Amino acid sequence: MEADAANLESFSDNSFDTVVDTFGLCSFDDPVAVLKELQRVCKPGGKILLLEHGRSKSYVGLSSYLDKHAERHAKNWGCVWNRDIDQIVESSGLQLAKLDNWHFGTTYYMVCRPSK
């Protein structure tokens, strides 16, 4: 099956126990809308697992580099590599249950719960 993550109309509300997105938030036009849609199809009490990359909160120099080259990188690869993943998740209304960071703070593993 092929589907648009921002519009999963093929699935009713509360369809899945667990929803997974890996390294996708960098390339969606509206990552907040995507997370809201993933939340819609996730059952109450279910999990939304995110493995993502984005802006480092720990290494200012690295974030400055990402910012400086973000436009070129996005044009070449379709990846906005300096997105603020924490802010995107917060804006989507997801409840963050667990957060781990690696690779100088640019890789995020998040276990989220729908806010239903």
Side-chain angles (χ1 to χ4, degrees):
M1 165 175 269
E2 186 175 316
D4 178 355
N7 184 7
L8 298 171
E9 62 189 18
S10 303
F11 302 103
S12 59
D13 294 359
N14 310 318
S15 293
F16 301 102
D17 295 317
T18 303
V19 180
V20 178
D21 177 61
T22 55
F23 300 111
L25 295 181
C26 66
S27 56
F28 295 123
D29 289 334
D30 187 348
V32 172
V34 168
L35 291 181
K36 287 181 178 182
E37 185 67 352
L38 297 183
Q39 186 170 195
R40 181 188 69 77
V41 300
C42 187
K43 292 178 181 177
K47 293 180 184 178
I48 299 172
L49 307 177
L50 304 173
L51 180 61
E52 301 294 340
H53 68 100
R55 173 170 222 80
S56 173
K57 304 287 179 130
S58 307
Y59 295 87
V60 175
L62 180 56
S63 289
S64 295
Y65 176 86
L66 294 175
D67 291 343
K68 182 178 179 181
H69 299 284
E71 187 174 338
R72 183 183 74 206
H73 186 79
K75 182 187 259 186
N76 290 338
W77 303 105
C79 164
V80 183
W81 64 3
N82 66 335
R83 284 191 168 157
D84 187 334
I85 302 301
D86 296 309
Q87 182 60 47
I88 291 168
V89 169
E90 184 178 325
S91 296
S92 74
L94 286 173
Q95 297 175 356
L96 182 62
K98 178 179 177 157
L99 169 63
D100 290 320
N101 289 101
W102 299 283
H103 306 118
F104 303 103
T106 62
T107 302
Y108 294 70
Y109 171 66
M110 299 173 139
V111 178
C112 301
R113 304 266 184 204
S115 62
K116 304 175 191 180

